[in-house]
Amino acid sequence: MRFTYAETMTDPSYYVPLAQAAEAAGYTSMAVADSVAYPRDSDATYPYTPDGSREFLEDKPFIEAFVLSAAMAAVTTTLRFTPFVLKLPIRPPVLVAKQAASVAALSGNRFGLGVGISPWPDDFEIMDVPFEKRGARMDECVDIVRGLTAGGYFEYHGEFYDLPPIKINPVPTEPIPILIGGHSGPALRRAAQRGDGWMHAGGDPAELDRLLAKLDKLRAEYGTRKDFEVHVISLDGFTVDGVKRLEDKGVTDVIVGFRNPYTRDQDTESLDTKIANLSRFAEHVVARTAS
């Protein structure tokens, strides 16, 4: 099992020392949250909170995902960085390919691109991208990012994007894993059909079992690669026995955090407390179960 440390909406000056501490403690990767802007007026809801509230995001600090990944990669040598998840279809896919390839090349292939569809029409509006057909747009974005980051000339002719033969340089020496986030049927199908892995956003344990079963069925349907990554958030991930249960279900990566980010209050934990929490977990769980 591999372990990903998740911290978000905290003092931006904490991230570099937290990345160094997570690497020293034995974590495989660190999750990087994505948020472009917060609208003053919106009637949109958030699908991963019980009441759909999104007010917990207001006035919270978010460093742009590629910038933060590069900053942390510069002070580490083994830790991998994974946006969790980048709102892909609101962005120009050629620019995303350039950013992802740059971070992966600079970090020595220590970058996994977690992507998803924003649940909020606001994100599409402020980026001047139509909300309609966002799923089909997402599919084209994934194809373009994968094609360009592979190196060499790449052209694309789709419904939303039409690219002449172009290439970017540098590209990483290994393919960038594209990990698809989301719990919907289309998201799971997209992960099995186009992704190198799937990212779970947490929730009811029984629902996780249903999602994993559906994902397994879709992977069999599409002949998904055997080294497909399955990243989950689960209370089972906090004990040695629980990690073994997740392994038996085909989970490859556990995402862990040590505070509730879904609160309207600002994070008041000290850096020392955060490092103590991640180190304690590493000693009692990571060291005993990590592969």
Side-chain angles (χ1 to χ4, degrees):
M1 183 66 73
R2 299 183 296 248
F3 291 87
T4 296
Y5 172 56
E7 181 60 89
T8 184
M9 293 176 279
T10 192
D11 184 332
S13 68
Y14 288 0
Y15 286 111
V16 163
L18 285 174
Q20 293 172 317
E23 180 174 80
Y27 291 82
T28 301
S29 59
M30 190 163 171
V32 181
D34 176 47
S35 181
V36 174
Y38 187 86
R40 185 188 66 183
D41 304 310
S42 175
D43 57 3
T45 58
Y46 187 64
Y48 302 115
T49 53
D51 61 356
S53 171
R54 59 183 288 174
E55 282 75 17
F56 69 92
L57 291 167
E58 187 172 9
D59 296 324
K60 299 295 176 64
F62 283 88
I63 302 297
E64 197 280 325
F66 290 109
V67 172
L68 182 55
S69 296
M72 294 190 293
V75 297
T76 54
T77 58
T78 61
L79 197 66
R80 173 175 154 182
F81 301 96
T82 308
F84 180 47
V85 289
L86 189 83
K87 299 175 179 68
L88 180 56
I90 69 171
R91 291 170 161 87
V94 174
L95 178 59
V96 171
K98 181 64 177 179
Q99 292 170 311
S102 296
V103 175
L106 283 172
S107 65
N109 304 306
R110 292 186 290 123
F111 186 73
L113 185 59
V115 296
I117 299 178
S118 173
W120 298 318
D122 313 81
D123 282 334
F124 288 83
E125 181 180 356
I126 63 177
M127 297 298 288
D128 198 25
V129 176
F131 189 62
E132 295 74 21
K133 295 187 176 181
R134 57 197 177 277
R137 182 181 295 274
M138 170 78 164
D139 290 341
E140 292 194 12
C141 287
V142 170
D143 292 345
I144 290 169
V145 171
R146 187 184 302 282
L148 283 173
T149 57
Y153 284 103
F154 174 79
E155 64 180 293
Y156 191 86
H157 307 287
E159 179 180 357
F160 307 101
Y161 304 99
D162 193 80
L163 305 178
I166 58 174
K167 63 180 174 181
I168 59 176
N169 189 36
V171 294
T173 58
E174 298 176 4
I176 298 174
I178 298 179
L179 314 172
I180 310 295
H183 293 185
S184 68
L188 294 173
R189 184 172 294 276
R190 184 173 295 112
Q193 184 178 21
R194 280 183 162 81
D196 301 301
W198 174 66
M199 301 194 82
H200 169 241
D204 180 12
E207 177 65 13
L208 173 59
D209 287 344
R210 290 191 289 270
L211 292 170
L212 290 174
K214 188 168 185 179
L215 184 63
D216 284 345
K217 183 177 179 180
L218 289 167
R219 288 179 59 193
E221 177 181 340
Y222 287 105
T224 305
R225 52 191 295 173
K226 292 183 179 180
D227 58 348
F228 189 86
E229 299 181 19
V230 179
H231 297 238
V232 306
I233 299 172
S234 170
L235 289 177
D236 269 347
F238 289 87
T239 66
V240 172
D241 289 343
V243 168
K244 292 178 180 177
R245 287 193 292 271
L246 291 174
E247 284 182 325
D248 290 341
K249 296 175 183 179
V251 173
T252 61
D253 296 75
V254 171
I255 303 167
V256 294
F258 306 104
R259 68 178 180 89
N260 176 21
Y262 299 116
T263 173
R264 299 184 69 170
D265 297 328
Q266 293 291 329
D267 178 22
T268 59
E269 271 189 352
S270 69
L271 176 60
D272 287 343
T273 297
K274 293 181 185 300
I275 292 177
N277 287 338
L278 72 86
S279 299
R280 186 179 305 111
F281 175 82
E283 178 184 353
H284 293 292
V285 180
V286 174
R288 298 172 61 187
T289 58
S291 57

